[in-house]
Amino acid sequence: MLADSYGRVATDLRVSLTDRCNLRCTYCMPPEGLEWLPKPELLTDDELLRLIRIGTTRLGINEVRFTGGEPLLRRGLVNIVAGTTALEPRPHTALTTNGIGLARTAPALAEAGLDRVNVSLDTLDPVVFEKLARRRRLPDVLDGMAAAASAGLTPVKVNAVLMRDVNDHEAADLLRFCVEHGYELRFIEQMPLDAQHGWRRDTMITADEILGRLEAEFDLDPADADTRGSAPAELFHLRDQTFPNGEPATVGVIGSVTRPFCGACDRVRLTADGQIRNCLFAREESDLRTPLREGATDDEIADRWRAAVGAKLPGHGINDPSFLQPARPMSAIGG
């Protein structure tokens, strides 16, 4: 198992396939983008699959989520998914994407065995989308979500970040849209993971504010907290509303900053260049790429992986005065 000294066991592996992205979202990176990782530093498809195999067959990983950057930019994505879903025991698989290109690739991803997708969608307004993402690609995102649902990559979950005086007035509209289309919406507090280090607590839209905006127009009932487990989202049922399939309509709020859930965390992250991060906000990493390329055995790699997770801190520390943002931005870590 991948256990830490506080009794938590990591079973959910987030695999970053690339640090590159085709959007320039204001809460993630500057308009000009970033200096991308050199290709020789990136894990090859075979190296990625070997590490995923070690995680699932030796270390108890039972869920693999592919992230980025934008994972759809990884040329070998479909083969990586197929290789992962062919493992025994087979992990549950998911993909977190901005949705651009998903309309084209959703059928192939479903054929490769991908179980579902998370799509980032912060606004339904093309003007606001361009302001936030610095690209005019909203129709592509919406088409990608529809294609994913049609291909059976369900439930399609939607991740939304509200920014003060930019899109925070759209909370209710986003929820109506998602309920109408059968998408499961999750609002996420903005986290200090931007490349510019411009995050400020006093401008962040908090979980309480998000719920206040929703409760002004919807009747929300908290879901049973006992069923939450390690899920990051606090789930709420929309009273007397259902998704198109007849299931009760829900919305989630992920209060990573003001309502941390570190005590139940079961995630571990593998960066595109082969570094293990035991926390999204960790300032230290453990190198698996070097031993992998120097001929280490599966057992040796597994031991290094266990040691990395064993050193995990009790919490992310955002609310501690001594907190420092990790050197890597979100695009280089993986969501």
Side-chain angles (χ1 to χ4, degrees), residues 8 24 36 59 62 70 86 94 117 121 136 158 170 175 196 206 239 268 291 300 305 315:
R8 297 167 296 193
R24 299 290 182 269
W36 309 126
L59 298 172
N62 57 34
E70 175 44 55
V117 297
L121 178 69
R136 298 178 181 178
V158 174
E170 291 190 68
L175 182 51
Q196 311 92 301
T206 67
R239 195 175 303 158
V268 62
E300 289 170 336
W305 201 331

Side-chain angles (χ1 to χ4, degrees), residues 66 69-72 95-100 102 117-121:
F66 300 104
E70 175 44 55
L72 293 179
L95 176 82
T96 296
T97 172
N98 62 29
I100 297 173
L102 188 57
V117 297
N118 280 50
V119 181
S120 298
L121 178 69

Side-chain angles (χ1 to χ4, degrees), residues 159-236:
N159 299 334
V161 176
L162 297 182
M163 304 288 288
R164 194 173 303 280
D165 300 325
V166 179
N167 66 333
D168 55 321
H169 62 286
E170 291 190 68
D173 290 339
L174 282 164
L175 182 51
R176 289 191 192 91
F177 171 82
C178 288
V179 170
E180 178 184 345
H181 290 82
Y183 306 145
E184 297 185 8
L185 178 60
R186 302 288 185 266
F187 288 103
I188 305 174
E189 286 183 339
Q190 184 195 4
M191 294 178 282
L193 288 167
D194 57 308
Q196 311 92 301
H197 286 209
W199 178 87
R200 290 170 49 196
R201 180 183 297 273
D202 60 342
T203 61
M204 179 191 73
I205 302 292
T206 67
D208 284 345
E209 289 179 277
I210 294 167
L211 287 170
R213 284 161 168 75
L214 297 177
E215 289 171 337
E217 301 195 37
F218 299 92
D219 291 326
L220 302 182
D221 289 325
D224 187 350
D226 293 336
T227 65
R228 181 179 176 183
S230 61
E234 294 180 67
L235 202 62
F236 298 85

Side-chain angles (χ1 to χ4, degrees), residues 18-320:
T18 178
D19 61 326
R20 296 173 181 266
C21 190
N22 42 16
L23 296 181
R24 299 290 182 269
C25 296
T26 57
Y27 53 77
C28 187
M29 65 177 71
E32 65 275 13
L34 299 169
E35 185 175 341
W36 309 126
L37 290 167
K39 188 172 181 180
E41 295 184 11
L42 299 176
L43 294 176
T44 66
D45 293 2
D46 287 344
E47 288 170 338
L48 277 166
L49 285 170
R50 183 183 174 196
L51 291 176
I52 293 170
R53 175 179 57 77
I54 292 171
T56 56
T57 63
R58 293 172 178 262
L59 298 172
I61 293 296
N62 57 34
E63 178 166 354
V64 176
R65 182 194 296 268
F66 300 104
T67 69
E70 175 44 55
L72 293 179
L73 296 178
R74 177 84 183 210
R75 187 167 296 178
L77 172 61
V78 172
N79 289 334
I80 292 170
V81 171
T84 300
T85 58
L87 292 170
E88 290 293 340
R90 181 198 187 283
H92 184 273
T93 56
L95 176 82
T96 296
T97 172
N98 62 29
I100 297 173
L102 188 57
R104 181 181 65 256
T105 55
L109 290 169
E111 181 67 23
L114 186 70
D115 292 306
R116 65 171 190 83
V117 297
N118 280 50
V119 181
S120 298
L121 178 69
D122 301 321
T123 178
L124 296 168
D125 185 330
V127 174
V128 176
F129 186 94
E130 184 177 359
K131 182 177 181 179
L132 277 171
R134 302 189 179 103
R135 298 290 187 272
R136 298 178 181 178
R137 304 301 296 271
L138 178 59
D140 298 307
V141 178
L142 299 178
D143 289 347
M145 294 163 62
S150 179
L153 300 174
T154 55
V156 173
K157 294 188 178 182
V158 174
N159 299 334
V161 176
L162 297 182
M163 304 288 288
R164 194 173 303 280
D165 300 325
V166 179
N167 66 333
D168 55 321
H169 62 286
E170 291 190 68
D173 290 339
L174 282 164
L175 182 51
R176 289 191 192 91
F177 171 82
C178 288
V179 170
E180 178 184 345
H181 290 82
Y183 306 145
E184 297 185 8
L185 178 60
R186 302 288 185 266
F187 288 103
I188 305 174
E189 286 183 339
Q190 184 195 4
M191 294 178 282
L193 288 167
D194 57 308
Q196 311 92 301
H197 286 209
W199 178 87
R200 290 170 49 196
R201 180 183 297 273
D202 60 342
T203 61
M204 179 191 73
I205 302 292
T206 67
D208 284 345
E209 289 179 277
I210 294 167
L211 287 170
R213 284 161 168 75
L214 297 177
E215 289 171 337
E217 301 195 37
F218 299 92
D219 291 326
L220 302 182
D221 289 325
D224 187 350
D226 293 336
T227 65
R228 181 179 176 183
S230 61
E234 294 180 67
L235 202 62
F236 298 85
H237 296 286
L238 277 64
R239 195 175 303 158
D240 301 324
Q241 295 199 44
T242 61
F243 290 126
N245 64 4
E247 293 291 324
T250 61
V251 63
V253 177
I254 301 176
S256 304
V257 177
T258 64
R259 301 183 182 190
F261 40 89
C262 301
C265 179
D266 64 351
R267 287 167 290 285
V268 62
R269 289 171 169 81
L270 174 65
T271 66
D273 57 348
Q275 309 300 305
I276 287 293
R277 298 179 63 88
N278 57 29
C279 174
L280 183 60
F281 296 94
R283 294 190 59 80
E284 296 181 354
E285 301 175 333
S286 300
D287 181 18
L288 294 188
R289 183 189 65 203
T290 298
L292 188 74
R293 292 181 175 177
E294 291 180 346
T297 66
D298 287 359
D299 284 339
E300 289 170 336
I301 291 172
D303 286 343
R304 283 177 173 263
W305 201 331
R306 290 190 191 95
V309 173
K312 185 172 183 174
L313 296 175
H316 55 45
I318 294 176
N319 298 306
D320 190 295

